[in-house]
C-alpha cells in the first residue's frame, strides 16, 4: 500500500500532467502553494513528467516537450513533432 506522501506525489504529478495536456500554463510557485511543497519539489515533478514523455515518444511516435516560457514565467506543453514509433525486432 502506498504511503500518504507517495500518494500525494502521484496525485500532484498527475494533476500537473493533466493540466499541461489541457493546454494550461503551470507556474512552479503557484503549484508549490497549492500542494504545500517547495518549488524544488514541483521542478522534480516537471522533470519526472519530461522523463515519462521521452519514454512515451518511443512508443507513440509523438514527441512532446514541456518548455519554460520566460515571458510568462511558466511551463507549457508543446508538441514538437510526430515520428514513427521505434519497432522492436522479432
Amino acid at each position: 500500500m502506498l504511503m500518504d506522501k507517495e500518494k500525494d506525489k502521484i496525485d500532484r504529478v498527475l494533476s500537473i500532467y493533466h493540466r499541461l495536456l489541457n493546454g494550461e500554463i503551470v507556474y512552479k510557485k503557484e503549484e508549490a502553494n497549492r500542494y504545500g511543497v517547495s518549488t524544488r519539489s514541483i521542478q522534480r515533478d516537471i522533470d519526472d513528467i519530461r522523463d515519462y514523455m521521452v519514454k512515451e515518444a518511443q512508443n507513440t511516435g509523438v514527441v512532446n516537450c514541456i518548455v519554460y516560457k520566460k515571458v510568462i514565467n511558466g511551463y507549457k506543453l508543446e508538441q514538437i513533432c510526430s515520428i514513427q514509433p521505434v519497432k522492436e525486432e522479432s
Side-chain angles (χ1 to χ4, degrees):
M1 185 157 198
L2 291 176
M3 294 172 43
D4 285 342
K5 216 172 187 182
E6 290 176 85
K7 186 182 180 319
D8 289 346
K9 176 174 170 106
I10 291 169
D11 290 345
R12 186 176 71 233
V13 170
L14 288 173
S15 176
I16 292 169
Y17 183 57
H18 180 76
R19 287 200 312 283
L20 286 166
L21 286 175
N22 285 326
E24 294 180 38
I25 297 167
V26 171
Y27 303 96
K28 276 197 304 189
K29 195 170 191 174
E30 185 178 297
E31 295 304 312
N33 289 335
R34 178 189 324 256
Y35 295 105
V37 298
S38 68
T39 56
R40 182 67 193 125
S41 290
I42 299 301
Q43 183 62 57
R44 283 191 292 268
D45 295 344
I46 291 169
D47 292 341
D48 289 343
I49 295 168
R50 283 178 170 146
D51 291 344
Y52 170 77
M53 289 190 311
V54 167
K55 292 175 190 170
E56 277 302 292
Q58 295 171 349
N59 297 324
T60 64
V62 177
V63 179
N64 288 316
C65 186
I66 299 173
V67 294
Y68 175 74
K69 299 285 191 174
K70 189 171 185 157
V71 84
I72 58 172
N73 199 29
Y75 293 84
K76 187 175 175 162
L77 182 73
E78 292 186 352
Q79 182 173 328
I80 304 301
C81 65
S82 232
I83 59 172
Q84 290 288 38
V86 176
K87 295 181 183 177
E88 293 183 26
E89 294 183 30
S90 301

